[in-house]
Amino acid sequence: MTRYSRNKLYKDPREGTVMGVCAGLADYLGVKLGVVRLLTMICGLLWFIPVVPLYFVLGFLLDERPRDLYRDEGDAEFWRTARNRPDVTKAELKRRFRDVDRRMQRLESFLTSKKYRLERELRDLER
């Protein structure tokens, strides 16, 4: 499997209508595709000269989103959150590591306890 950057903006022609730029932006920003399309159309009507050429330039310059960019929808949601709100992701990862550390400490204290040694010795005697 080739490694792709999950923090890169891609176009998504499979989900898009014209070149997939709006679909890529929606995926990257973590917003609904309809909202991005509506904003693009409004901006295109108000500022036609800069918006429409920029849209087509992005359509030609952006790489197509790889099919295997995310493992599943949960993975996609994690990376959207990491891009848009890294402070929340950092806090969540700290909380998870703290939980893992607590579980490891409990396991370690059990494995080094006299009760564990006694149970292991009794189990070995039964064999």
Side-chain angles (χ1 to χ4, degrees), residues 102-116:
R102 277 191 218 119
R103 285 186 278 167
M104 292 289 290
Q105 286 175 357
R106 282 195 303 256
L107 180 65
E108 187 178 54
S109 67
F110 175 72
L111 289 175
T112 57
S113 70
K114 291 180 182 181
K115 179 181 177 184
Y116 175 77

Side-chain angles (χ1 to χ4, degrees), residues 28-66:
Y28 184 79
L29 297 173
V31 297
K32 294 189 183 223
L33 178 56
V35 172
V36 175
R37 283 184 180 153
L38 181 65
L39 288 174
T40 303
M41 288 184 346
I42 291 171
C43 290
L45 290 173
L46 295 175
W47 303 287
F48 183 83
I49 299 296
V51 172
V52 173
L54 178 65
Y55 183 90
F56 284 102
V57 166
L58 285 174
F60 287 112
L61 292 180
L62 292 176
D63 294 330
E64 190 171 319
R65 180 181 163 212

Side-chain angles (χ1 to χ4, degrees), residues 25 30-32 40 47 53 57 59 64-65 81-82 88 93-94 99 101 121 123:
L25 280 170
V31 297
K32 294 189 183 223
T40 303
W47 303 287
V57 166
E64 190 171 319
R65 180 181 163 212
T81 305
V88 172
L93 288 174
K94 275 178 89 171
D99 290 345
D101 188 46
E121 288 174 9
R123 190 179 49 227

